[in-house]
Amino acid sequence: MMYLSVLLLLGVALVVQASDPTRMAKFRTAYLYQDGDQTSCMAAIIDSRAAFITASCITLDDGKPDLTIKYKIHFSTTKNEEGPMISFTGDQVTFHPSYNPKTLENNIAIIQYDDDTTDGELNLFATKEFTGKTFVYNRRDYDIYENFWKSPQVFNQDSNDNDCESASPLFAANPDRYSCTSALTASFATEFCSIPYGVMYKQDTLENVLVSGIYSHSVDYGKNMCSDFTKVVSYYTLLWPYLGFAVNTLARGVSAFNATDRLTYTDTTMITMTAPTADQLQNTVVENGDLYPKQWVIEEAITNSASAVIGTQTASGDNSGDDDSVASSVESSSAGGGDSNNSSSDGLSQGQKIAIGVAVPASVIIITIGCIILYHIWKSKRQDKAWDPDAEASNLRTIALEMNTGEPYLMLPPYSQASGIPDSYVHHPLETDDKKVEI
């Protein structure tokens, strides 16, 4: 307990319950904007002048940052209000010198800006010596419609998933450079999709929580993150190997924490990843960079597909090609580096699944309503023709008219059991003589 008090006095790190979103909100985070649009890319803030960002989130022009893009970084606040938005340009982005946009090795960059605000606790980075074992995955969305920072979405995990190595040759070649999880969270872009977390923290047994990683990419065994039938494994670049990259780029130290103490990290040693020795698995998709544009296209495709299915219930024609066009529009919208557009999986497309999911329940409802209506019509007819001894003449007249014999039954004299059946009770309209039927 005394040791923990000393750490707190030194300002080592926030002492939080990692599973508590309210306390995790005290950590400052930020989103990247491009040309005014919010991206899914979150930043790991180094200090008031720089942050780590996923390199594949930056638009390239001939292998360099596109200088025509207007970038902004939007900071969270501890009070859930809008927070500052700082502009920067492409020439303020520095890629790791060994970044490979195709294989996503060293998928890390540093952005520099000038932030005069001091709201929020100072982020400290975990060094290699930090003893934290619990991964704390965090994504905190900014509601661009209501203009406030939402409560963080937090997921805790004590180890990497078992599928991490088999899903990614890059992870297999660099198992100590990533954390990995199959956990996803709700996407702010659309209710139809899920999305990986943005920043990863580590927590030790003393509940010290330190910035430790940033989302890099995902391996999807389906076609996108918008299906319940897909499996996704996401990889987060550990930041301790890139603290030397930050020191070299910024020409200053980085606030960090080792196993016992807070420190200013000044080691300029550059560490790089090992290239993968195998190709990416067939029938998988590597997704990275800004994931929102693809999810917006999927949302539009789903909405249009559902509208088309409803329309076919009132119009004739062959719409068999609609689902193929939906699937094609979704797949062609894949963005980011790597081979995310070169792989596919067998089976129904997402549009076809949505179409079936809408058409089947709608058809059942329409058929059910039709059956109910027909039943009530039949019941009404049956009640009209029910035999009423007190209205036999009227009933017979109705039946005759419905049979369209050309001659209705004559009005018959009243009948009662006491008086018996009159001789004229039976009259056949087709008889041509006056012969009466004997009873």
Side-chain angles (χ1 to χ4, degrees):
M1 193 67 183
M2 178 178 180
Y3 176 65
L4 177 59
S5 300
V6 172
L7 291 180
L8 290 174
L9 290 174
L10 290 173
V12 169
L14 291 172
V15 179
V16 303
Q17 296 292 333
S19 60
D20 186 345
T22 302
R23 293 185 178 182
M24 285 301 294
K26 295 180 180 179
F27 286 87
R28 292 194 72 191
T29 188
Y31 270 96
L32 177 69
Y33 282 65
Q34 294 196 68
D35 287 338
D37 294 328
Q38 185 189 73
T39 72
S40 65
C41 303
M42 295 182 67
I45 302 171
I46 297 174
D47 54 31
S48 62
R49 292 179 291 166
F52 285 110
I53 196 77
T54 302
S56 58
C57 288
I58 303 296
T59 302
L60 294 179
D61 179 20
D62 195 22
K64 298 180 180 179
D66 188 343
L67 299 181
T68 66
I69 301 293
K70 297 179 180 179
Y71 294 102
K72 289 184 179 181
I73 185 168
H74 188 192
F75 294 90
S76 66
T77 68
T78 58
K79 298 180 181 179
N80 295 340
E81 56 196 18
E82 184 172 354
M85 180 118 37
I86 310 298
S87 298
F88 65 95
T89 58
D91 56 8
Q92 293 174 280
V93 179
T94 304
F95 290 130
H96 189 279
S98 298
Y99 166 52
N100 187 325
K102 182 175 178 61
T103 63
L104 300 179
E105 297 164 51
N106 308 295
N107 188 16
I108 199 76
I110 290 176
I111 56 177
Q112 298 186 61
Y113 48 83
D114 186 14
D115 175 21
D116 296 329
T117 66
T118 58
D119 180 64
E121 299 289 342
L122 177 65
N123 287 336
L124 298 177
F125 288 85
T127 65
K128 183 179 181 180
E129 294 76 23
F130 182 60
T131 58
K133 300 296 183 182
T134 301
F135 301 112
V136 183
Y137 296 97
N138 180 49
R139 175 172 285 276
R140 189 180 185 193
D141 290 325
Y142 178 74
D143 191 323
I144 59 177
Y145 306 108
E146 300 295 335
N147 298 323
F148 73 97
W149 286 91
K150 302 173 72 173
S151 179
Q153 302 172 79
V154 180
F155 177 76
N156 303 326
Q157 187 167 307
D158 291 332
S159 62
N160 290 327
D161 282 0
N162 295 329
D163 297 326
C164 296
E165 184 171 345
S166 60
S168 171
L170 182 58
F171 178 90
N174 303 274
D176 59 342
R177 297 291 190 266
Y178 292 101
S179 68
C180 166
T181 181
S182 58
L184 299 172
T185 188
S187 173
F188 178 73
T190 170
E191 62 180 336
F192 299 111
C193 303
S194 298
I195 201 166
Y197 294 84
V199 178
M200 188 273 291
Y201 300 79
K202 273 191 174 183
Q203 176 179 311
D204 63 10
T205 56
L206 295 177
E207 294 184 346
N208 296 314
V209 178
L210 306 176
V211 182
S212 300
I214 190 169
Y215 172 72
S216 172
H217 62 281
S218 298
V219 175
D220 192 337
Y221 285 79
K223 292 182 179 178
N224 52 66
M225 299 182 187
C226 306
S227 171
D228 293 334
F229 305 102
T230 192
K231 170 184 173 184
V232 179
V233 182
S234 299
Y235 298 87
Y236 297 75
T237 303
L238 297 182
L239 294 176
W240 69 261
Y242 299 101
L243 295 181
F245 165 53
V247 173
N248 277 285
T249 301
L250 303 175
R252 61 179 182 270
V254 176
S255 297
F257 181 72
N258 57 22
T260 58
D261 300 299
R262 174 178 175 170
L263 55 89
T264 299
Y265 191 94
T266 57
D267 189 347
T268 58
T269 302
M270 298 282 285
I271 300 176
T272 62
M273 290 186 179
T274 302
T277 58
D279 295 332
Q280 182 61 41
L281 297 176
Q282 292 185 349
N283 298 323
T284 62
V285 177
V286 178
E287 301 195 56
N288 62 92
D290 181 14
L291 303 177
Y292 281 169
K294 182 176 180 179
Q295 295 193 349
W296 285 328
V297 172
I298 291 173
E299 179 182 44
E300 182 179 1
I302 291 174
T303 302
N304 292 341
S305 177
S307 299
V309 170
I310 294 174
T312 59
Q313 297 172 359
T314 57
S316 62
D318 183 8
N319 296 316
S320 59
D322 293 347
D323 292 330
D324 291 335
S325 62
V326 169
S328 298
S329 67
V330 171
E331 292 179 34
S332 64
S333 67
S334 298
D339 297 326
S340 58
N341 294 323
N342 298 333
S343 302
S344 63
S345 63
D346 297 329
L348 294 174
S349 68
Q350 181 66 16
Q352 290 172 324
K353 295 174 183 175
I354 295 298
I356 293 173
V358 173
V360 172
S363 300
V364 171
I365 293 174
I366 292 174
I367 292 172
T368 302
I369 293 174
C371 291
I372 293 174
I373 294 173
L374 290 174
Y375 169 76
H376 282 288
I377 293 174
W378 172 82
K379 185 176 181 181
S380 175
K381 291 287 186 181
R382 183 175 181 274
Q383 289 175 345
D384 288 342
K385 296 179 182 179
W387 197 263
D388 183 359
D390 295 330
E392 284 181 316
S394 176
N395 288 341
L396 288 170
R397 180 180 179 84
T398 300
I399 294 173
L401 289 173
E402 288 186 356
M403 292 175 62
N404 195 24
T405 60
E407 181 181 344
Y409 278 86
L410 301 177
M411 296 299 293
L412 302 179
Y415 161 76
S416 68
Q417 292 182 350
S419 60
I421 301 176
D423 291 340
S424 62
Y425 191 81
V426 178
H427 172 79
H428 198 291
L430 297 181
E431 292 179 346
T432 57
D433 53 26
D434 296 332
K435 182 180 180 180
K436 298 178 181 179
V437 179
E438 298 296 335
I439 305 281

